[in-house]
Amino acid sequence: MDMGQDTEQGQEHEHGQSQVQGQGQGHEQGYERAEVWGAEIARRYDTPGTGMFAPEVLTPTVDRLAALADGGAALEFAVGTGRVAVPLAARGVPVTGIELSPPMIEQLRTKADEATLPVILGDMATATAPGTYSLVYLVFNTISNLLTQAEQVACFRNAARHLTPGGRFVIELWVPELRKLPPGQAGTIFTSEPGYIGLDTYDVLRQRVVSHHFNFGEGTEAELTRSPHRYIWPAELDLMAQLAGFELESRHADWTGTELTADDRSHVSVYRLPPRA
């Protein structure tokens, strides 16, 4: 999956550049997620009008989330620089965010103040925001930034704790592309274009994938950044939801409600808590 280049195929995540210079394989190699989202990544994260900020990507996302909020308040896990939260709040939906990275919050504050968009500094799997919400959402594959199954289940449970009865938890996530992985081969190229090559290397026993992003110009040198993730099958995601008390309400290929097929590379899944009896 392309976690930072291929917006057309829905393969970014809210921290769509989850890229670490040099070595990287999550907590096991000695860095914390808060360190990944440093000042340099935050500074160059926004690409107004292009990529994941393009109107054709962002507008359907905000439209659907506004409808799912159904007149209530929304909470975004891993709010980042406010790519989705700021335009959603502009629609009149009260939005609060949870974010692990202070530099990302600083970038968000150039667009919206604390009164307009409150943000809690903390981990989306454990942090608590005040109040209750009709909608919690997690976009552009960010749940895969949690590198263990236990953390991912905790994220579902944290969403459930914040929701009112009948509230919804929305996840946008890529479908693992292991069908493209030839037997005996650990990696695949997902994008090759002028100035950029992206490849994924898999650890299928632990459901880990590292995306390697090579950016280069006319010379002989290239910049390498890497993004570690734990991939989740849709059926496993549904089981995580059940453990947290959710039921699957809908699953589509995109934010406009396109029917999901076996060939689609990403999905938007809506989970819902039971209404109060």
Side-chain angles (χ1 to χ4, degrees):
M1 74 296 178
D2 175 3
M3 306 308 279
Q5 300 291 336
D6 197 347
T7 57
E8 185 177 2
Q9 294 170 340
Q11 294 300 309
E12 297 212 38
H13 52 89
E14 186 53 69
H15 285 169
Q17 298 292 330
S18 177
Q19 297 175 355
V20 185
Q21 300 288 340
Q23 300 297 319
Q25 190 51 268
H27 305 291
E28 299 162 358
Q29 294 296 333
Y31 70 82
E32 298 293 329
R33 281 184 287 122
E35 297 173 357
V36 174
W37 306 109
E40 178 60 24
I41 292 294
R43 182 187 64 79
R44 61 180 180 170
Y45 185 78
D46 289 6
T47 56
T50 64
M52 61 182 171
F53 288 80
E56 61 269 23
V57 174
L58 191 52
T59 300
T61 305
V62 174
D63 287 345
R64 183 82 189 282
L65 290 172
L68 290 171
D70 197 24
L75 174 64
E76 180 172 355
F77 284 175
V79 68
T81 65
R83 180 185 70 91
V84 173
V86 170
L88 184 61
R91 295 281 187 93
V93 178
V95 181
T96 298
I98 291 176
E99 174 55 46
L100 189 64
S101 165
M104 298 293 275
I105 297 174
E106 290 177 11
Q107 287 295 314
L108 185 152
R109 285 287 165 251
T110 66
K111 311 172 194 177
D113 60 22
E114 180 69 18
T116 302
L117 208 167
V119 177
I120 308 302
L121 178 65
D123 192 314
M124 62 183 171
T126 57
T128 300
T132 56
Y133 303 85
S134 64
L135 176 69
V136 177
Y137 64 93
L138 186 53
V139 295
F140 265 129
N141 304 325
T142 311
I143 194 170
S144 70
N145 288 355
L146 300 171
L147 298 180
T148 69
Q149 186 184 68
E151 288 178 305
Q152 291 169 346
V153 171
C155 184
F156 269 91
R157 288 176 168 153
N158 199 29
R161 284 192 291 269
H162 285 91
L163 287 168
T164 58
R168 295 178 171 94
F169 183 32
V170 182
I171 293 180
E172 181 182 23
L173 186 62
W174 94 93
V175 178
E177 297 187 296
L178 296 190
R179 289 188 298 173
K180 293 184 177 180
L181 194 65
Q185 185 170 317
T188 61
I189 295 175
F190 57 77
T191 301
S192 179
E193 59 190 32
Y196 174 75
I197 294 175
L199 65 90
D200 289 332
T201 54
Y202 288 85
D203 178 347
V204 296
L205 292 179
R206 298 188 302 163
Q207 288 184 212
R208 295 285 180 83
V209 59
V210 178
S211 290
H212 307 257
H213 308 271
F214 297 86
N215 292 278
F216 51 89
E218 296 296 329
T220 59
E221 296 183 353
E223 179 188 37
L224 168 62
T225 52
R226 307 182 188 194
S227 53
H229 309 278
R230 182 183 186 273
Y231 59 84
I232 314 171
W233 299 102
E236 182 187 10
L237 200 71
D238 293 348
L239 182 57
M240 291 179 181
Q242 290 180 39
L243 292 173
F246 289 100
E247 297 179 352
L248 179 65
E249 183 176 64
S250 66
R251 173 170 288 138
H252 296 99
D254 56 30
W255 292 99
T256 64
T258 302
E259 182 180 358
L260 183 68
T261 72
D263 294 324
D264 286 311
R265 297 180 63 186
S266 64
H267 61 92
V268 176
S269 295
V270 180
Y271 297 99
R272 192 167 193 180
L273 290 177
R276 182 180 286 112

PDB file of all heavy atoms in Angstrom, residues 30 105 172 193:
ATOM      1  N   GLY A  30      13.219   1.101  18.382  1.00  0.00           N
ATOM      2  CA  GLY A  30      13.699   2.162  19.241  1.00  0.00           C
ATOM      3  C   GLY A  30      13.123   3.542  19.002  1.00  0.00           C
ATOM      4  O   GLY A  30      13.655   4.502  19.530  1.00  0.00           O
ATOM      5  N   ILE A 105      -0.071  19.412  15.918  1.00  0.00           N
ATOM      6  CA  ILE A 105      -1.058  20.303  16.526  1.00  0.00           C
ATOM      7  C   ILE A 105      -0.695  21.763  16.250  1.00  0.00           C
ATOM      8  O   ILE A 105      -1.575  22.593  15.990  1.00  0.00           O
ATOM      9  CB  ILE A 105      -1.170  20.041  18.041  1.00  0.00           C
ATOM     10  CG1 ILE A 105      -1.664  18.611  18.309  1.00  0.00           C
ATOM     11  CG2 ILE A 105      -2.120  21.049  18.691  1.00  0.00           C
ATOM     12  CD1 ILE A 105      -1.668  18.234  19.782  1.00  0.00           C
ATOM     13  N   GLU A 172     -11.438   4.365   7.606  1.00  0.00           N
ATOM     14  CA  GLU A 172     -11.000   4.246   6.216  1.00  0.00           C
ATOM     15  C   GLU A 172      -9.678   3.484   6.224  1.00  0.00           C
ATOM     16  O   GLU A 172      -8.734   3.885   6.909  1.00  0.00           O
ATOM     17  CB  GLU A 172     -10.820   5.629   5.602  1.00  0.00           C
ATOM     18  CG  GLU A 172     -10.387   5.601   4.144  1.00  0.00           C
ATOM     19  CD  GLU A 172     -10.166   6.994   3.595  1.00  0.00           C
ATOM     20  OE1 GLU A 172      -9.914   7.930   4.401  1.00  0.00           O
ATOM     21  OE2 GLU A 172     -10.223   7.151   2.362  1.00  0.00           O
ATOM     22  N   GLU A 193       7.128   5.977 -10.889  1.00  0.00           N
ATOM     23  CA  GLU A 193       6.842   7.134 -11.726  1.00  0.00           C
ATOM     24  C   GLU A 193       8.048   8.066 -11.678  1.00  0.00           C
ATOM     25  O   GLU A 193       8.933   7.903 -10.814  1.00  0.00           O
ATOM     26  CB  GLU A 193       5.575   7.841 -11.243  1.00  0.00           C
ATOM     27  CG  GLU A 193       5.657   8.333  -9.807  1.00  0.00           C
ATOM     28  CD  GLU A 193       4.323   8.818  -9.274  1.00  0.00           C
ATOM     29  OE1 GLU A 193       3.285   8.273  -9.690  1.00  0.00           O
ATOM     30  OE2 GLU A 193       4.325   9.734  -8.422  1.00  0.00           O
TER      31      GLU A 193
END
